[in-house]
Amino acid sequence: MNVSDSEVVLSVLQQAGYSLCSKITEASLILVNTCSIRDNAEQKIWSRIDYFKSLKKRRKGLTVGILGCMAERLKERLLEQSVVDIVAGPDSYRDLPHLLNELPGGEKQINTILSLEETYADISPVRMDKNGVSAFISIMRGCNNFCSYCVVPYVRGRERSRNPQSILNEAKELFNNGYKEVTLLGQNVNSFNWRATDQQSSFKEDISFSKLLEMVAQISPQLRVRFSTSHPKDMDDSVLTTMVKYSNICRHIHLPVQSGSDSVLKRMNRKYTRKEYLLRLEKIKKMLPDCTISTDIIAGFCGESEQDHLDTLSVMREAGYYTSFMFQYSQRPDTTAAQQLADDVPPRVKNSRLNEIIALQNELSHISNKADLGNEVEVLVEGFSKRSKAELSGRTSQNKVCIFPAGEHKVGDYVKVKVTSCSSATLKGEVIS
Ligand code: 5AD
Ligand code: SF4
């Protein structure tokens, strides 16, 4: 989401006459797009701010701005840092040229007003990822779920869906410019809902997420479509039915479970039980047998017992995740958990539980990859492999990284590959001629 937002910022600034430079030491303006989701994400920014102090001593006239969720959360506290000139929250990037113009007057500038509308629909993001194959499209902003541990609803505001016509235009333009894959992004994409009656709309009917997904998939069978993130409580059958209809909608669903224990899920305010989650997975596997599932897991949430932790390990085994994003619980100020629940799992225990979760995930990833040995997969090439220019790297529809000898193939090609070996992280294969 932050990569996507940075592309909006670049677009806004380019229109105001700025251009991107390749070295930070050459920049006259440095903007940092920040994340508040865990404390260590914020700690990284504090050390960056220290580094900017040393840069500013060497470069007269250097302007430093802090953008994103940390700007929204800490507001004036960031401006108190002598090195910070501008603080701009996630909904105020259109205002950046104005804030920059006001600076020479001597006053530091701040805008952290959250919007009730999708604010960037008509901005064409300038892609920063240079592979020219795969791009993010932001389809909604904010979150209404208020999971008890999570700071996102406070720093990104309420859920707002973007005008579907502008999403379709962006996807078509990307495809016409040679892109082969788009990822529809939102904190909770399944609750995308554009109401025809609410706003000026070229659509006569309301547009749900599954309808939007279908319209994007119809742009071309040569355009792969992904989406992230789905909330298990909102992931309904209509999305699965649409996926079955269009083979260019990738066979991968990111479905964060967070915990395998019902009592922890309840304290997290996730609004589903372990059983309901597993039934969802059963339905996915029935309708889309070749679909991979990935997840997010939090270790050591408030009140998590050893048994709760074992329940998380067992849900991972039952789900057979091909990959996971795994975190230690980090208390975030102002959230319900911070206000009402004790952060009572000792750091040492959080750490050892996280390590057990990671070790199990490595095992599961390896099992999932081994199941592909001998299979034929279609890889969309994204670049050279890290090790060698003689090998290309790309992803399968299931979102697995696959490496194979380059031959005549190039970035942006769809290549049929037979999987011949694997590690827990990567598939390796040979081109099927
Ligand atoms: N501590 C640890 N992990 C968190 N996440 C969100 N908030 C926290 C927190 N306070 C994780 C969740 C979410 C992912 C984006 O970040 O797993 O799905
Ligand atoms: Fe945070 Fe929950 Fe919203 Fe995800 S769904 S952004 S975890 S509040």
Side-chain angles (χ1 to χ4, degrees):
M1 190 60 97
N2 268 5
V3 170
S4 175
D5 275 5
S6 296
E7 293 177 341
V8 166
V9 170
L10 185 55
S11 173
V12 169
L13 288 179
Q14 280 192 351
Q15 277 179 25
Y18 289 79
S19 63
L20 194 64
C21 59
S22 53
K23 285 198 191 128
I24 199 165
T25 46
E26 289 166 1
S28 55
L29 167 66
I30 299 175
L31 299 172
V32 201
N33 202 351
T34 61
C35 172
S36 287
I37 198 108
R38 285 169 290 277
D39 184 55
N40 57 8
E42 290 198 351
Q43 290 313 323
K44 276 188 204 156
I45 300 302
W46 287 117
S47 18
R48 288 302 270 176
I49 288 175
D50 279 343
Y51 165 62
F52 297 149
K53 281 181 195 155
S54 66
L55 274 185
K56 220 168 181 174
K57 272 191 207 132
R58 279 181 272 148
R59 280 187 70 91
K60 273 224 152 339
L62 173 64
T63 300
V64 171
I66 307 293
L67 315 183
C69 295
M70 209 171 151
E72 192 64 46
R73 196 176 87 70
L74 297 173
K75 300 185 167 70
E76 282 81 5
R77 271 172 59 196
L78 283 166
L79 275 193
E80 284 163 13
Q81 299 292 311
S82 57
V83 67
V84 177
D85 304 296
I86 288 179
V87 170
D91 287 349
S92 63
Y93 301 149
R94 278 180 190 280
D95 196 30
L96 277 171
H98 165 76
L99 298 175
L100 284 160
N101 279 340
E102 293 293 301
L103 265 185
E107 282 279 297
K108 293 185 175 206
Q109 298 294 317
I110 181 164
N111 183 342
T112 58
I113 300 165
L114 285 174
S115 162
L116 292 174
E117 282 156 24
E118 160 60 53
T119 32
Y120 304 122
D122 59 328
I123 294 179
S124 269
V126 177
R127 309 292 161 184
M128 292 168 95
D129 181 349
K130 296 277 185 290
N131 79 8
V133 175
S134 182
F136 294 124
I137 301 183
S138 185
I139 63 163
M140 60 192 298
R141 305 183 73 77
C143 182
N144 289 350
N145 285 318
F146 288 93
C147 300
S148 65
Y149 51 80
C150 185
V151 76
V152 167
Y154 304 91
V155 290
R156 289 203 166 246
R158 296 291 67 74
E159 252 166 42
R160 292 147 275 163
S161 299
R162 174 176 165 189
N163 186 333
Q165 194 56 58
S166 81
I167 298 172
L168 285 174
N169 293 347
E170 189 174 332
K172 280 180 198 157
E173 197 183 316
L174 283 164
F175 183 66
N176 291 337
N177 287 332
Y179 281 80
K180 297 283 176 60
E181 183 179 273
V182 292
T183 302
L184 308 180
L185 278 186
Q187 239 73 46
N188 183 11
V189 287
N190 299 90
S191 59
F192 178 92
N193 188 11
W194 172 262
R195 292 188 190 284
T197 48
D198 283 357
Q199 316 165 52
Q200 281 199 333
S201 175
S202 42
F203 296 97
K204 299 242 163 4
E205 55 184 41
D206 290 355
I207 305 292
S208 64
F209 178 63
S210 50
K211 182 70 197 155
L212 176 73
L213 190 60
E214 172 156 47
M215 292 191 297
V216 178
Q218 282 170 341
I219 291 173
S220 165
Q222 289 297 303
L223 180 69
R224 276 187 176 181
V225 189
R226 300 184 184 275
F227 57 90
S228 192
T229 291
S230 299
H231 193 300
K233 77 174 165 57
D234 300 317
M235 171 87 209
D236 59 21
D237 286 357
S238 65
V239 174
L240 302 179
T241 313
T242 307
M243 288 176 78
V244 171
K245 256 168 82 182
Y246 298 91
S247 59
N248 57 325
I249 304 179
C250 289
R251 283 3 191 183
H252 165 231
I253 297 176
H254 186 62
L255 204 62
V257 68
Q258 313 296 0
S259 167
S261 150
D262 280 343
S263 67
V264 173
L265 287 172
K266 196 157 183 21
R267 284 198 296 285
M268 287 178 162
N269 193 32
R270 288 292 288 176
K271 302 193 180 91
Y272 55 82
T273 61
R274 173 192 176 104
K275 192 165 171 208
E276 283 163 351
Y277 180 90
L278 287 171
L279 280 173
R280 230 25 350 242
L281 287 195
E282 220 173 86
K283 193 71 189 271
I284 295 171
K285 283 178 184 162
K286 198 164 157 206
M287 292 178 72
L288 298 155
D290 60 343
C291 187
T292 52
I293 309 287
S294 56
T295 204
D296 292 349
I297 296 175
I298 299 178
F301 185 61
C302 309
E304 185 189 75
S305 66
E306 190 56 30
Q307 184 55 51
D308 294 326
H309 168 59
L310 294 176
D311 289 347
T312 295
L313 295 177
S314 71
V315 91
M316 289 173 70
R317 273 193 208 94
E318 278 190 55
Y321 298 118
Y322 90 97
T323 194
S324 299
F325 298 93
M326 301 155 282
F327 317 101
Q328 281 186 41
Y329 172 58
S330 155
Q331 190 180 62
R332 308 310 295 129
D334 303 324
T335 57
T336 324
Q339 284 168 349
Q340 298 176 7
L341 302 170
D343 183 9
D344 53 1
V345 178
R348 190 180 39 80
V349 177
K350 279 185 189 171
N351 197 302
S352 71
R353 287 182 186 166
L354 178 64
N355 286 337
E356 284 177 36
I357 288 169
I358 293 171
L360 174 59
Q361 185 52 57
N362 280 338
E363 225 178 273
L364 295 175
S365 300
H366 211 169
I367 292 173
S368 167
N369 282 353
K370 278 196 276 197
D372 276 331
L373 290 176
N375 284 353
E376 232 179 72
V377 290
E378 187 179 60
V379 181
L380 172 58
V381 181
E382 289 171 10
F384 291 108
S385 90
K386 279 185 202 131
R387 292 221 182 114
S388 153
K389 287 248 148 95
E391 289 176 334
L392 291 172
S393 170
R395 276 172 303 142
T396 66
S397 171
Q398 287 74 14
N399 207 32
K400 291 185 177 179
V401 174
C402 183
I403 291 169
F404 60 90
E408 299 295 298
H409 297 288
K410 56 185 191 314
V411 172
D413 284 353
Y414 286 106
V415 183
K416 287 236 181 324
V417 174
K418 184 173 177 173
V419 181
T420 50
S421 67
C422 70
S423 66
S424 59
T426 322
L427 303 176
K428 279 198 152 192
E430 283 160 8
V431 177
I432 301 167
S433 45

